[in-house]
Amino acid sequence: MPLVVLCGRPGSGKSRRAEELRAALGGPERAAHVVSEAEGGRAALRAEVERRLSRRDVVIVDAGNELRSIRYELYCAARQAGTARCLLHCAGGGGGPDEPPFEEPDPGCRWDRPLFTVSGEEPLPLGDIRAALFESAPPPPHRSTRAQPLQSGEFLHRLHRVTQDVLAAVMAAQSGGALPGDTVRVPGLAEGMVLSRPVSLAELSRLRRQFISYTKMQPSDENMAQLAGVFLQYLSRSIQ
C-alpha cells in the first residue's frame, strides 16, 4: 500500500505522470490506483486516499497538492497506515491568473521527502521511485500502539503552545479590524495568511484540534516554526 503524492501547478503534466506511474507500478502482484481531485475538495480527497491505503496496493494521488499543509495531511495518513511514500513534483505549468498559490516542495521537510522532480518530457526516475516505495525500511509503528517516548509530552506541550499563538494572532487581527482580503501576520513567521472571510473562535478551535490530532500521531523533532507555518496554511486552506 505505498503512496505516491504528485504535486505541481496546473498544466504541469500531473495526470499524464499519474498514468505513467499506474502502468509502471501496477501489475499481477499489486494494483495501482489513481485518486484524483473531485467534488468535495480536500476532505474528500484525503478520505479516499485513507480508504485506499487500507489495501496492499499502490495509491497515486493525482492532485495539485500545492500547499504544504495538504502534503502534511497525506504524510500523516501514510504514517498512520505504516506505509512507504514519496513525493513527485511536476515542475513547469502555471501562469494562469486564477491559479492557486503553489508552495515549492522542500526536501528539508519530512513531509516533502523522498522528493523526485520531473519537467517536460523528462523520463520518470522509476528505479529510484520503486526503491523508495518497495525497498526502503517501513516507517515505525503508529505511536498509539506503543509506549510514548519521554519527549512526546514536551512535544505536545510546544505544539499546543505554537498553535494557540497562531489562533491568538488571527483573533487579534480580526478584533483590530482586519477584513476579508487583509493579511494576518503571526509573530515569528515570515509568511502570513490572507483572511478570506470572518472566522469565529469556535471554528478556529475546531480546526486546531484537527491539526493537532494529525500531528500527534508521531511526535517529532521538526522545527516548531515550520509546524506553525504549516498550521497557518492549514487554516488558510480550511476557511476558504
Side-chain angles (χ1 to χ4, degrees), residues 3-8 65 71 85-91 102-118 122 124-125 128-129 132-133:
L3 178 67
V4 184
V5 177
L6 278 70
C7 71
N65 297 315
R71 301 195 292 267
R85 58 173 293 282
C86 70
L87 180 67
L88 179 66
H89 175 207
C90 299
F102 181 75
E103 297 180 339
E104 297 282 341
D106 178 4
C109 291
R110 189 169 302 185
W111 49 87
D112 279 345
R113 65 175 187 257
L115 171 64
F116 306 101
T117 301
V118 293
E122 181 181 358
L124 290 173
D128 292 335
I129 290 174
L133 297 178

Side-chain angles (χ1 to χ4, degrees), residues 48-67:
E48 179 65 10
V49 169
E50 291 173 346
R51 186 179 73 83
R52 292 288 187 180
L53 281 174
S54 64
R55 304 179 180 180
R56 297 187 60 83
D57 298 333
V58 178
V59 179
I60 302 161
V61 184
D62 174 19
N65 297 315
E66 63 276 359
L67 298 181

Side-chain angles (χ1 to χ4, degrees), residues 16 86 99 120 134 157 171 198 206 228:
R16 174 170 59 87
C86 70
E99 69 180 50
F134 306 125
H157 173 75
M171 292 303 299
R206 176 179 59 80

Side-chain angles (χ1 to χ4, degrees), residues 5-30:
V5 177
L6 278 70
C7 71
R9 293 181 170 87
S12 59
K14 297 183 297 297
S15 294
R16 174 170 59 87
R17 297 299 192 175
E19 289 304 319
E20 289 181 39
L21 287 168
R22 190 204 319 242
L25 301 178
E29 70 281 6
R30 71 178 73 87

